[in-house]
């Protein structure tokens, strides 16, 4: 029997030997040779050194992606692209435990949460595999004087830059890779500098697909690499998930070649509990709608509107539920909430907690940094629940991206619609009611890309997701998600 030099919970992929970039089917060092450390947020330890790609590396990757797009990848028949994605789904199933463990080490998410997401991630690939063989244009009767035949062709949009955040280190890249490959695009993935390790390992795993070099590339780095990709004149599309501030920079950077954009940005989503709600369901539903992934969810229902008649009881029950959640290392199967991703993020969240107190909100459950015993060097924070939050307070307006619930009191339906919509964001919204009329009325009235009734943050590969207003534009998932990676060409043929 050989003795493993490391506990089995530390994947062999981790180590301080600098990681490389995956460009044109090869692992290459960045031209600058620069690296940056990746920190485990549960321990504060450096677990890998990652390549810090510069504009010249981005350019190499774009050239490789262009060559593949115009070369061997264009020759792939739809059924071949379908098979690529079906095989990728199998590979992902095989390697999922390792990838999710890497995600836990890299950004802290509990392995139990990743396990719950497995089905969704794998089925995203199978769903998009199906689309690869079902892409078609239209023949269109026209009234132009003369005899003309007109039809449309659906073509891959081209070279896609996929820029992803840390909070979904596997979901976010794969929700872009699936439809992009189905459509026949080539991809340069630039994962978050806080969660690149699963993406790098995924690229290794994807080598088993024998894709033509350049179809799938991964470059690591931070804003400079992302910015170079967004500005590159030979990138046709950026699919971005992240903060609205970075989204706005990408919109500006994209102007040079008028590249197309899909923007999944942040939110300050309302979650509205009516007096007739199923109390027992709504309490954990509303609480986890904010606290899931330690609050690091773009659609977090972080403005919790509760009807005056149940307000005190409901907020007390939410606080009790939140206080019972176990905060700790994501490797522990009993952990509900892992750490936040970085010390900077921890400080940001604590800053919001202080601002809630300073602006007069009532702290029903006091959260704060947890740093004793095993948690000493990690970025752990327990949930905070504020009541009597007013609409103009900072904690009711800005995205916190941490485990902080702001409970607001409302009295009637028109009032709560007006207040819920009075946000510059419009990503998600929740409604808890047993009245079917209220459910439909609210679903129409709320100005957000998704409305969840008696549930929160449910998602599926076939159902589109995206934002209104400052939460972005473009959709992921469903046929609308596929269409983000296709473009329509019109053909006219004179027939007389
Ligand atoms: P967060 O990771 O804090 O949500 P960002 O929205 O800044 O914040 O990050 C999302 C992704 O955008 C990451 O991959 C990040 O490296 C990248 N990024 C950061 N700045 C830029 C930029 N100026 N242009 C393009 N991408 C960027």
């Amino acid at each position: 029997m050989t003795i493993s030099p490391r506990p089995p919970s530390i994947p062999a992929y981790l180590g301080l030997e600098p990681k490389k970039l995956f460009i044109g089917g090869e692992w290459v060092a960045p031209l600058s040779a620069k690296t940056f450390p990746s920190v485990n947020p549960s321990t504060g330890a450096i677990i890998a050194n990652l390549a810090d790609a510069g504009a010249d590396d981005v350019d190499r990757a774009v050239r490789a992606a262009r060559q593949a797009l115009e070369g061997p990848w264009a020759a792939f028949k739809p059924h071949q692209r379908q098979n690529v994605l079906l095989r990728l789904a199998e590979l992902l199933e095989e390697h999922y435990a390792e990838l999710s463990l890497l995600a836990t080490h890299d950004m802290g998410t509990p392995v139990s949460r990743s396990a719950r997401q497995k089905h969704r991630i794998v089925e995203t690939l199978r769903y998009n595999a199906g689309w690869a063989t079902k892409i078609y244009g239209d023949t269109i009767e026209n009234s132009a004087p003369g005899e003309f035949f007109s039809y449309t062709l659906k073509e891959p949009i081209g070279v896609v830059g996929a820029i992803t955040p840390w909070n979904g280190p596997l979901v976010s890249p794969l929700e872009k890779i699936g439809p992009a490959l189905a459509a026949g695009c080539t991809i340069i993935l630039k994962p978050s500098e806080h969660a690149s390790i699963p993406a790098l390992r995924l690229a290794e795993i994807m080598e088993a697909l024998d894709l033509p070099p350049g179809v799938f590339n991964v470059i690591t780095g931070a804003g400079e690499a992302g910015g170079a990709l967004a500005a590159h004149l030979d990138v046709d599309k950026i699919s971005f998930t992240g903060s609205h501030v970075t989204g706005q920079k990408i919109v500006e950077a994209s102007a040079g070649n008028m590249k197309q954009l899909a923007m999944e940005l942040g939110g300050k989503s309302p979650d509205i509990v009516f007096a007739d709600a199923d109390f027992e369901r709504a309490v954990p539903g509303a609480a986890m709608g904010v606290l899931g992934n330690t609050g690091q969810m773009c659609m977090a229902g972080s403005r919790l509107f509760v009807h005056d008649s149940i307000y005190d009881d409901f907020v007390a029950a939410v606080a009790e539920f939140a206080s019972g959640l176990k905060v700790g290392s994501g490797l522990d199967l009993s952990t509900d909430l892992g750490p936040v991703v970085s010390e900077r993020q921890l400080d940001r969240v604590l800053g919001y907690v202080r601002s809630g107190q300073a602006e007069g909100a009532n702290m029903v459950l006091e959260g704060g940094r947890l740093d004793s015993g095993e948690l000493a060097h990690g970025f752990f924070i327990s949930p905070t629940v504020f009541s009597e939050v007013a609409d103009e307070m900072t904690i009711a307006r800005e995205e916190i991206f941490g485990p902080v619930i702001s409970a607001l009191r409302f009295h009637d339906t028109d009032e709560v619609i007006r207040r819920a919509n009075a946000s510059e964001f419009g990503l998600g919204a929740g409604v808890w009611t047993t009245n079917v009329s209220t459910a439909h009325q609210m679903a129409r009235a709320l100005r957000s890309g998704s409305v969840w009734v008696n549930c929160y943050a449910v998602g599926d590969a076939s159902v589109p997701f995206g934002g209104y207003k400052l939460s972005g534009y473009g959709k992921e998932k469903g046929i609308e998600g596929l269409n983000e990676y296709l473009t329509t060409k019109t053909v006219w043929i004179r027939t007389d």
Side-chain angles (χ1 to χ4, degrees), residues 232-355:
H232 200 291
L233 299 179
D234 206 25
V235 170
D236 300 294
K237 168 119 196 175
I238 294 286
S239 175
F240 173 71
T241 304
S243 65
H244 74 279
V245 175
T246 300
Q248 286 167 325
K249 289 185 195 158
I250 291 175
V251 171
E252 283 172 21
S254 72
N257 67 332
M258 215 60 94
K259 61 174 65 65
Q260 298 207 28
L261 302 174
M263 309 298 272
E264 294 291 346
L265 309 177
K268 191 71 194 176
S269 298
D271 197 5
I272 305 168
V273 185
F274 284 88
D276 61 10
D278 177 338
F279 196 95
E280 300 305 320
R281 267 193 170 183
V283 168
M288 290 312 286
V290 189
L291 304 176
N293 213 22
T294 321
Q296 302 168 114
M297 298 190 296
C298 52
M299 76 289 256
S302 55
R303 284 187 295 150
L304 179 60
F305 287 95
V306 182
H307 190 266
D308 180 51
S309 63
I310 57 165
Y311 187 89
D312 294 332
D313 290 346
F314 193 86
V315 175
V318 164
E320 196 188 330
F321 175 88
S323 69
L325 295 173
K326 182 174 170 197
V327 180
S329 163
L331 297 177
D332 181 342
L333 287 178
S334 65
T335 287
D336 297 302
L337 307 180
V340 292
V341 74
S342 62
E343 189 146 29
R344 184 174 146 257
Q345 188 59 17
L346 181 83
D347 291 342
R348 262 192 83 231
V349 176
L350 292 173
Y352 278 113
V353 172
R354 283 192 300 275
S355 96

Side-chain angles (χ1 to χ4, degrees), residues 140-162:
I140 304 161
E141 291 297 319
N142 66 75
S143 306
E147 295 295 320
F148 297 94
F149 176 50
S150 51
Y151 66 95
T152 57
L153 293 172
K154 290 283 181 192
E155 298 181 338
I157 203 159
V159 172
V160 172

